[in-house]
Amino acid sequence: MERLFLFFLITLLLSAAAACLAGARPLPRKLVPGFLVFSLVLGLFVAGRAFLNGAPLQLDFTGNLPFAFAFAVDRLGGFFLLLICGLAAPAALFSVSYTRGYSSARWRWYWCLLPLFILSMVVVVASSTVFLFMLGWELMTLLSAGLILVEGDGEEQRRNLFIYLVMMHAGAAAVFAGFLLFVPHAPALSFAALRATGSVLPGQLRAVIFFLGLAGFGMKAGIVPLHIWLPKAHPIAPSPVSALMSGVMLKTAVYGFIRVTFDLLGPPQPWWGYVVLSIGLVTAVLGILYALAENTLKRLLAYSSVENIGLIFLALGLAMVFHGHGLADLAALALLATFFHALNHTLFKGLLFLGAGAVHFTTHTLDMEELGGLLRQLPRTGAAFLIGCSAIAGLPLLNGFAGKWLLFMSLMKGSALEAEVHFPVLPLLVGVVGLVSALACACFVQLFGITFLGRPRSAQAAEAASTPLSMDVALLLLAGACIVLGVFPGLALRPLFVLAATIVPATAMPADAVSISRIMPVVAAAVAASVCLAWLALRRGARSTETWACGQPGLTPRMQYTATSFSKPLRFVFRTVYRPDRTLEVEPAGQPYFPAAITYRSVRTTSFEKTLYRPAVDLVISVARQLRRLHTGNIQAYLLYIFLVILSLLLMLRFMQ
């Protein structure tokens, strides 16, 4: 199996090389995507074996290199490798038609960077040394940045990309600093050496490493308030890349955080769990509220990813709390909810981003205010998109329902801590998670209804052509996976429990997971039978009429909800969260009752941008302007600066002894 894994890594490299060497002839351009899909199917097989069998794959090249360079894929790494390859294969298939209109140079650039980006994520989840992990971590940032620039490098794109790179490198610095704190106590920078010393580190040092990991991995995952790069980077990336970034790149951060807190540092402290739980709760609530206020498809989906990452960290925090208090079975239930929701988010968020790409491919716009009525022109895309919206909203018989059910059960079981630590808050959080779920339903009713239903609001929507077959196949594969895991959740829950049991010492699969695995096929059969009977009954007396137009000659696109009007009531209720900047201009100014024109503008920025990031940026700019005075161009002044720095370091060492 080790040789097969090595062959998988080589095929990813060869796929990138083949794209660079491919010419303008049709045949080589068709072979490159096919070779990448073959490589990813091979990766799926390797990941499935590692995840299901549990026997770790190990490849060590340290003896031939001056630094530690080794791979190890255990159950945890195999699960996240399964997510990467499982979404990358449909994304590559979708990209075949998506890149059809690219120029030759852009086509090569895309298909060269895409397998390397996938390879970087594989390296992150398969590494067993700090050097290899950080190498994959940094390459993942740089290669995704290169893919973002494929579709243009305008001023706004460069600014958003700069924010993305700054935050990703800051997060990488925090992660690397956490690893370096192991150095005085660990004989080597391999995960095995860190694991052997993690549980015996001083308590304060373990806490510092935990916070560094939370900041570094949280920045990549997009937890609040470190989330601002998501709605800036996702909309400007090609849609298949956005699907990979949201569906699996964010999960590499979840993998890293689990690896550090549960594996390398030993058993987590209960208060760590309360910190992670609180951050996850705030992230979920604010993420879905920001998503509700968006009118652009990919920005809405980006904020929705913030919400789902919040739910994942909420479940992860619960697992840490339960594990810290010695409740292994409850910790396994919460970890099971974490892993299952991570799997579900990979499927339905990848489906929705690819669906948004299909909409943009046919209409050349992502603004929901210019869409509508697409279900007639894009029936297969619309059906798959509806399944994705229903799954992410948590409707029954789809995979999102089972994941949220396990999360609700984990919170309800938190009452077991009341007698032990007098902390009855966890069951009360069910209401907050219920609010998040209700807002998610409203958000995706808005998304699907405004985009696919009603009447076209623009010429682009009215003239949308059908999507190519490869796009539809990719969407239907992911939609089918959402249905299968919704009807038969036990297919994933049983092996995921085995994974959870390797992290926490659980003895038996939670009863809630067993019950939902058994009841969902029965419910699905009952619903299918009811639908068939209703269809047969309606078919006999079915008739169709025109929609009532309220006595008007006919309906027009202006006689329907827009995304802004649909979300207005909820935006009004939560107006303290949005705090929009509103301006009202009346022309001429001296005639308020008989104006010639009224202009109303409402600009929404997140509170964190106003209160946290903007003051910090202004402070840095102010300090930089003051420091500019030190750049005199005088060599004597620069020598004096060097002397003062050396003197300060010597004094510091003197007092530290």
Side-chain angles (χ1 to χ4, degrees), residues 188-214:
L189 283 178
S190 65
F191 285 174
L194 302 186
R195 188 178 299 112
T197 59
S199 58
V200 297
L201 292 176
Q204 293 181 346
L205 184 59
R206 295 180 73 228
V208 172
I209 296 173
F210 161 73
F211 278 113
L212 286 172
L214 180 61

Side-chain angles (χ1 to χ4, degrees), residues 152-514:
D153 58 345
E155 181 179 353
E156 183 179 0
Q157 288 174 306
R158 289 196 298 268
R159 182 174 62 85
N160 291 343
L161 185 62
F162 176 76
I163 294 173
Y164 169 64
L165 289 174
V166 168
M167 297 199 70
M168 292 303 98
H169 289 311
V175 171
F176 189 54
F179 283 131
L180 289 181
L181 291 179
F182 281 94
V183 170
H185 306 274
L189 283 178
S190 65
F191 285 174
L194 302 186
R195 188 178 299 112
T197 59
S199 58
V200 297
L201 292 176
Q204 293 181 346
L205 184 59
R206 295 180 73 228
V208 172
I209 296 173
F210 161 73
F211 278 113
L212 286 172
L214 180 61
F217 294 119
M219 199 168 296
K220 176 75 78 174
I223 62 173
V224 172
L226 308 175
H227 67 287
I228 64 168
W229 67 268
L230 270 93
K232 297 182 182 296
H234 282 65
I236 61 176
S239 292
V241 178
S242 297
L244 290 174
M245 290 175 67
S246 179
V248 287
M249 190 184 79
L250 302 186
K251 305 305 184 308
T252 61
V254 176
Y255 162 80
F257 187 68
I258 294 174
R259 178 67 74 186
V260 170
T261 53
F262 279 91
D263 186 18
L264 302 185
L265 284 178
Q269 298 296 316
W271 66 268
W272 296 3
Y274 292 124
V275 171
V276 175
L277 187 152
S278 302
I279 292 175
L281 192 67
V282 173
T283 299
V285 173
L286 293 181
I288 194 59
L289 286 176
Y290 292 146
L292 264 170
E294 285 297 330
N295 301 333
T296 306
L297 279 175
K298 290 173 71 173
R299 280 182 62 88
L300 185 152
L301 293 175
Y303 275 123
S304 171
S305 293
V306 175
E307 176 238 342
N308 282 276
I309 285 294
L311 293 178
I312 291 173
F313 271 80
L314 174 62
L316 191 57
L318 279 173
M320 298 170 74
V321 170
F322 291 140
H323 189 36
H325 286 293
L327 302 173
D329 291 340
L330 295 184
L333 176 61
L335 268 181
L336 189 59
T338 301
F339 293 135
F340 194 51
H341 196 71
L343 170 61
N344 293 336
H345 182 254
T346 296
L347 294 174
F348 52 60
K349 190 50 64 69
L351 169 59
L352 291 172
F353 266 111
L354 293 182
V359 170
H360 185 259
F361 182 82
T362 57
T363 63
H364 308 289
T365 182
L366 290 170
D367 188 355
M368 288 190 290
E369 309 290 23
E370 298 180 3
L371 298 172
L374 293 180
L375 192 59
R376 297 182 185 89
Q377 292 97 325
L378 310 174
R380 293 188 297 270
T381 301
F385 204 87
L386 177 60
I387 291 172
C389 290
S390 302
I392 198 171
L395 296 187
L397 301 184
L398 293 168
N399 56 342
F401 173 78
K404 289 188 177 180
W405 173 263
L406 292 176
L407 178 57
F408 277 116
M409 290 298 101
S410 300
L411 287 168
M412 291 296 295
K413 296 297 179 64
S415 58
L417 290 176
E418 182 178 356
E420 184 174 344
V421 295
H422 306 288
F423 195 78
V425 175
L426 294 184
L428 300 180
L429 296 182
V430 173
V432 182
V433 178
L435 173 64
V436 172
S437 300
L439 292 174
C441 288
C443 179
F444 286 95
V445 166
Q446 167 189 302
L447 175 61
F448 183 80
I450 302 300
T451 303
F452 285 92
L453 302 181
R455 294 175 179 267
R457 297 176 179 83
S458 64
Q460 300 100 306
E463 299 170 1
S466 60
T467 50
L469 180 61
S470 63
M471 288 187 175
D472 290 335
V473 170
L475 294 174
L476 293 175
L477 283 174
L478 293 172
C482 292
I483 295 173
V484 169
L485 290 183
V487 177
F488 304 102
L491 295 176
L493 291 179
R494 290 182 179 86
L496 286 177
F497 170 73
V498 177
L499 170 60
T502 61
I503 299 176
V504 296
T507 56
M509 188 170 176
D512 299 291
V514 174

